[in-house]
């Protein structure tokens, strides 16, 4: 194909595509919108979880887990920025989807950590979404590889 015929072929392809789509049945926009709304209510994140509730996540973050007798803030700090051990991650300001995926991984056995696996094993999808929303909403003290705060 030469550079001169390329625009003509592209235009022809667009006209054909538009013509073919006009020949099909009329889409039911109301049904499609309803299905999309129902799906959006069920899943609000890339982790496929319901919408997280910050207040519920804050309450859950202070609740002692049956598995270890500790709460999230016992190890990660109130805003998720003061871990009791330097090897524990800072959670405050982290992407909620990342936190949700991590918690799902611990719950499902895809990620392994003696404390986190047992803590996450009994969490529901809603609880994971709530915790992720809470810690994701907190101020961040995360730094990039250059040591600069991500929010700067």
């Amino acid at each position: 194909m030469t550079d001169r015929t390329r625009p003509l072929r592209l235009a022809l392809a667009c006209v054909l595509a538009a013509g073919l789509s006009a020949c099909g049945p009329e889409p039911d926009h109301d049904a499609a919108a309803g299905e999309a709304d129902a799906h959006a209510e069920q899943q609000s994140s890339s982790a496929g979880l319901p919408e997280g509730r910050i207040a519920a996540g804050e309450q859950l973050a202070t609740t002692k887990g049956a598995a270890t007798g500790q709460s999230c803030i016992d190890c990660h700090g109130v805003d998720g920025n003061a871990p009791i051990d330097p090897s524990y991650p800072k959670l405050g300001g982290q992407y909620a989807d990342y936190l949700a995926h991590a918690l799902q991984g611990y719950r499902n056995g895809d990620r392994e950590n003696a404390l986190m696996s047992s803590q996450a094993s009994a969490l529901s999808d809603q609880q994971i979404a709530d915790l992720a929303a809470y810690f994701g909403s907190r101020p961040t003290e995360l730094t990039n590889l250059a040591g600069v705060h991500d929010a700067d």
Side-chain angles (χ1 to χ4, degrees):
M1 169 172 27
T2 67
D3 287 337
R4 297 175 110 180
T5 61
R6 187 175 195 175
L8 180 60
R9 288 179 186 226
L10 181 59
L12 182 59
C14 290
V15 169
L16 285 173
L20 288 174
S21 67
C23 294
E26 186 67 28
D28 184 354
H29 292 291
D30 292 335
E35 288 175 23
D37 289 343
H39 186 69
E41 288 176 14
Q42 295 171 359
Q43 297 180 1
S44 68
S45 72
S46 66
L49 296 173
E51 178 115 9
R53 303 165 301 183
I54 294 172
E58 181 176 17
Q59 184 176 6
L60 188 57
T62 61
T63 303
K64 305 281 186 191
T68 65
Q70 295 187 317
S71 69
C72 301
I73 66 168
D74 288 341
C75 293
H76 296 281
V78 175
D79 282 337
N81 288 313
I84 61 172
D85 185 279
S87 67
Y88 293 5
K90 290 184 178 184
L91 305 178
Q94 182 59 269
Y95 291 107
D97 278 354
Y98 170 77
L99 295 170
H101 278 286
L103 285 170
Q104 284 178 312
Y106 289 125
R107 179 185 67 188
N108 301 337
D110 296 333
R111 290 181 85 158
E112 297 279 332
N113 177 281
L115 290 173
M116 287 305 303
S117 296
S118 58
Q119 283 290 90
S121 65
L123 293 175
S124 69
D125 282 352
Q126 184 65 62
Q127 290 172 318
I128 287 175
D130 294 345
L131 286 168
Y134 171 67
F135 283 112
S137 74
R138 307 316 314 146
T140 188
E141 289 187 16
L142 299 171
T143 58
N144 62 22
L145 294 176
V148 177
H149 281 89
D150 285 340
D152 293 347

